[in-house]
Each structure stands twice: as C-alpha cells, then as structure tokens.
C-alpha cells in the first residue's frame, strides 16, 4: 500500500515533467531523495522493560532551502510512505512559495496504546537519534497524523537539552508559550477555505452545498469555518460512519456530539451514509480530509461535485484528476489545497528567527495573501496548458525548481 503511495506521487510528478520535456538527468536528480535516516529508538516502557521503535526521516530535496515536513506516528508508517510524503512536501513548498525543501519523518508505533510518559520518552528518543541532522537551517520537523503541539514541546526541549540552548526554529507547530504561532492550529483548514473561496469566485459559484470526509483536525475545522461562512454542510464522516441531512448539519452540535461520543455516528437529525456514498453525493463541493486514495479511476465516474478540495494528502489519483477535468470538475490538488499548514509553519519559523510574535490577524492576512497567490499561479498554469489543476501545480513547482537548479549550476 505504502509503495503505491510512492508510485502515485511519482506518477503525479512525471505528468508535469513530461509536459515540460524535462531532461532525464534532471528527472533523476529530482526523484531521488538526498538523505534517508532510520534510527532505532529504545524506550523504557511503563512495565520497566525496554522496547525498540523504528523512526525515519527523509530529506528529499533541499535545493530551495532547508528541508521541512511533519513527523507521523502510526503503525503503518514505512519508508515508502515517508519518502512519498517528503517528495510531496518538496512540491507543496514550491507551490505555496515558502523557502524550504521537502522532508518528512515518522515512527512505527500505535500512539493510542502508549501512556503519556511512553510517548514523551519515544519523542525525546527520536530527537536524540536525529538531532545531528535536523535544525533550524537544516531540516525542520512539525506535527502530522497523531503528533501534536505537546509532542513538539518535548522535542524542542530535548534539542535544547542536547545543544545546551534554546533553538525554537528547529521545529514548528509548537505551543504558543514555546515559540508557536497564532493561527497554526487552524492553518491547514483555513488555507483550504481561502483557496476554495478563490475558486468559487473565479467560477461564479455562490452558496455551495458541501460534504466533508474526515472529521479530525483538518476536516472538523474546515467544516466549522465553511459553516461560519453560511455555506450548507450536508454531510460529514469519520472512520466509523457518515451522516447526512439535506437541509444542512449544525456543525457546532455535530462537533459536540463527536467530542462526547468519539464519533459523528448516530447524530440526531441525520441519516447514516457510508463513506463511499458521501463521496458520490450531489453537492457543489466535496472535501476529502481523511485518507489517501479515496477517488481513483474506480469511482471517479460517480463523483458529482463541481469542486474537490483535497485537504488530505493524496486523496485523488492523477488519473482521476484528469478524468474530472474532462468532465469540467475541478480537483484542487493537495499540494495547493492543504499547503496552509506549512505556510503558517514558515511564519512560525520566521517569527522564531526574528524573535517577535505576530497576532492572529496579521498571520491570517499573510496566509490569505499566500493562498490567493498560489491559487492564481496554479489557475493560470492550468489555463496556459489546458490541463487539470493537479498537473498544473506540478508544472508550476517544477519550473520554479528548474530556475533554482540553473542558478545553482546543475542546468547549463
Ligand atoms: P486526524 O487524525 O486529526 O483526522 C483524521 C480524520 O479522518 C478522523 O476524523 C478519522 O476518523 C477520519 N478517518 C480515518 N479513517 C477514515 C476512513 N476510512 N473514512 C473516513 N474517515 C476516516 O488527521 P488530520 O490532521 O485531520 O489529517 C487528515 C489528512 O490531512 C491527512 O491526510 C493528513 O496527512 C492531511 N494533512 C494534515 C495537515 C495538518 O496540519 N494536520 C496538513 C496537511 C495535510
């Protein structure tokens, strides 16, 4: 499965590279990771015994700046997945125009089965194993699935302990009290909403109906922000089930239900639907915000939404994006739609470097400007090549990379 994710990432890139007639040697340069690290992390468990966990970090490409990307804690983490995610980060950082290369990390573990103490020792162990290779000007991690500001706080503290002084800019997604940024928690969802607003304006769509798959950090906040705009959210889902109400769901009450029962399932005033049914609803906007690979050639013909806002990483295959484009449906690709998270991570790093904190208003204004510009650039590229937004985003990012490679002397 994870190997498929890497194949899919490569496929997306190759479509753009082919259109640009990129030289084979440059394709080779850009599709091989610069460094791959694997560390064994011995952790003393609460029962007194030592358990050894495996941690990874891939620094895929640092031509545009220090590598940057989150750390994922999940039982299914493996090197292919981390490689694919670090490759995506390379292009995402170029699309949203932050001066970073692509990196990503992960630990094979089930965080739901670890106590807080075990989680802390594991997180500190990861930094102990990796500290020589990461840092504010080398490689800057952040949270990803099942990692959070508390884990970033333990990591920045461990780095502090080893180096003997504070280096807040070595990691982002930290708590506000430890050099975090205002606006970081909602940044991914908020960035996606800004992009969607640009798309709706461009295509003259007002008051869209919306379905959101995934009701976690990204999906729930996106649903709240979209509902606050007055848009009708007719369906949401999580790993257990989907819920539907054609008159619109009250998202604040659904959130309360989710925090009380751990699921959106059995929410009153709704009918149960499967995750597959949710994807095929007749809505204007579909927001996949959970998993990769949910829209592929297998179900693309059943997708009715005019816009697919890819807040998850890799939810729509390159092939499906192309089919949608031919049907005049627009898949706004992950490397554009969810890049608000890394944009605000960049703002956090800048604030750490200059030793000054901006208020939320300032951060969100800067985010909005970045997302609008990224949307315009991808939209214009899509028009220039008459191509789907996914391939257009790669073309835009690859051109930017080529310019850097020329300046660095790799392309004569
Ligand atoms: P999360 O763990 O907070 O939430 C994931 C949600 O997906 C949960 O509601 C879960 O119940 C649901 N889910 C899991 N399996 C499902 C299934 N089979 N069908 C339907 N729903 C299912 O994670 P998150 O941080 O919200 O991340 C979601 C996606 O967004 C991931 O692809 C992640 O890589 C991507 N992403 C997150 C960020 C960020 O800042 N958190 C940034 C960029 C991209």
């Amino acid at each position: 499965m994870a190997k498929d994710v890497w194949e899919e990432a490569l496929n997306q890139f190759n479509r753009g590279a082919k259109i640009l007639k990129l030289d084979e040697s440059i394709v080779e340069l850009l599709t091989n990771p610069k460094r791959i690290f694997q560390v064994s992390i011995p952790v003393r468990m609460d029962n007194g015994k030592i358990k050894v966990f495996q941690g990874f970090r891939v620094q895929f490409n640092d031509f545009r700046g220090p590598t940057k990307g989150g750390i994922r804690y999940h039982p299914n983490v493996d090197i292919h997945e981390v490689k694919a995610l670090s490759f995506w980060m390379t292009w995402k950082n170029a699309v949203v125009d932050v001066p970073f290369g692509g990196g990503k990390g992960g630990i094979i573990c089930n965080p739901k089965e670890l106590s807080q103490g075990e989680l802390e020792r594991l997180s500190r162990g990861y930094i102990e194993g990796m500290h020589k290779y990461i840092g504010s000007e080398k490689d800057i991690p952040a949270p990803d699935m099942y990692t959070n500001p508390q884990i970033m706080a333990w990591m920045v503290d461990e780095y502090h302990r080893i180096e003997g002084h504070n280096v807040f800019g070595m990691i982002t997604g930290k708590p506000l009290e430890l050099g975090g940024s205002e606006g970081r928690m909602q940044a991914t969802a908020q960035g996606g909403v800004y992009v969607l607003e640009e798309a709706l304006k461009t295509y003259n769509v007002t008051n869209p109906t919306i379905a959101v798959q995934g009701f976690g950090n990204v999906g729930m906040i996106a649903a709240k922000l979209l509902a606050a705009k007055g848009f009708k959210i007719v369906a949401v889902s999580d790993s257990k089930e989907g819920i539907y109400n054609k008159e619109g769901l009250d998202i604040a009450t659904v959130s309360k239900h989710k925090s009380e029962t751990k699921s959106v399932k059995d929410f009153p005033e709704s009918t149960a639907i499967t995750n597959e049914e949710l994807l095929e609803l007749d809505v204007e906007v579909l927001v996949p915000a959970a998993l990769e690979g949910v829209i592929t050639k297998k179900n693309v013909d059943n997708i009715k939404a005019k816009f697919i806002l890819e807040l998850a990483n890799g939810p729509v295959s390159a092939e499906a994006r192309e089919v949608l484009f031919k049907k005049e449906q627009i898949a706004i690709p992950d490397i554009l739609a969810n890049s608000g998270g890394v944009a605000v991570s960049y703002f956090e790093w800048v604030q750490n470097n200059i030793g000054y904190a901006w208020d939320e208003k300032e951060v969100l204004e800067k985010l909005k400007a970045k997302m609008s510009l990224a949307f315009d650039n991808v939209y214009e590229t899509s028009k220039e090549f008459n191509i789907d937004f996914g391939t257009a985003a790669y073309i835009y990012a690859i051109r930017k990379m080529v310019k850097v490679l020329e300046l660095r002397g790799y392309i004569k």
Side-chain angles (χ1 to χ4, degrees), residues 72 85 92 104 143-146 184-185 188 213-219 237-240 258 275 289-292 311-314 338-339 341:
R72 180 173 285 197
L85 290 163
K92 188 183 298 186
K104 202 85 181 190
D144 190 67
M145 269 163 75
Y146 295 115
R184 178 64 183 85
M185 277 313 277
T188 304
Q213 183 188 45
F215 208 65
N217 189 10
V218 176
S237 70
D238 58 24
S239 56
K240 298 213 174 97
K258 166 101 185 173
N275 263 292
L291 305 169
E292 63 268 351
L311 289 188
N313 278 315
N338 71 29
S339 63

Side-chain angles (χ1 to χ4, degrees), residues 76 140 197 241 297 347 371:
N76 298 342
I140 307 138
E197 284 182 297
E241 195 171 82
K297 65 176 182 206
F347 298 152
M371 300 312 295

Side-chain angles (χ1 to χ4, degrees), residues 48-59:
K49 296 211 166 112
I50 296 282
K51 187 170 156 65
V52 180
F53 293 84
Q54 294 303 310
F56 304 96
R57 187 81 191 159
V58 178
Q59 297 172 349

